[in-house]
């Protein structure tokens, strides 16, 4: 499990939401929520942010700096 997946699962439970509730409130599919909580390594960042927005959070890619 990744830090992100643990965070989402913890917040979902803290807010008293089921996975179905979370998918409906965030506008993403139930399958996406399940994959997110299971730590799937490749997920669309825009959809991740749809879920995180419910908890007042956002994820952004790190800047790459050329040497």
């Amino acid at each position: 499990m990744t830090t992100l997946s643990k965070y989402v699962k913890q917040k979902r439970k803290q807010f008293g939401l089921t996975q179905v509730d979370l998918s409906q409130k965030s506008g993403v599919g139930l399958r996406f929520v399940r994959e997110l909580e299971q730590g799937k390594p490749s997920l669309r960042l825009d959809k991740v942010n749809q879920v995180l927005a419910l908890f007042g959070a956002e994820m952004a890619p790190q800047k790459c700096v050329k040497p």
Side-chain angles (χ1 to χ4, degrees):
M1 215 180 230
T2 65
T3 302
L4 176 62
S5 61
K6 288 177 187 175
Y7 175 81
V8 170
K9 189 171 186 175
Q10 174 198 15
K11 285 296 192 180
R12 175 178 62 78
K13 289 183 176 189
Q14 180 182 337
F15 281 74
L17 301 171
T18 65
Q19 288 181 334
V20 173
D21 294 334
L22 182 56
S23 72
Q24 291 173 345
K25 289 183 182 292
S26 64
V28 301
L30 178 57
R31 180 177 175 178
F32 182 84
V33 170
R34 288 181 176 156
E35 290 175 344
L36 175 58
E37 287 193 2
Q38 290 171 359
K40 182 178 178 186
S42 60
L43 295 169
R44 287 183 42 185
L45 187 57
D46 61 328
K47 287 189 172 189
V48 170
N49 280 328
Q50 277 181 252
V51 174
L52 292 178
L54 290 174
F55 309 127
E58 181 181 3
M59 186 173 208
Q62 293 180 344
K63 292 182 181 180
C64 294
V65 179
K66 290 185 177 182

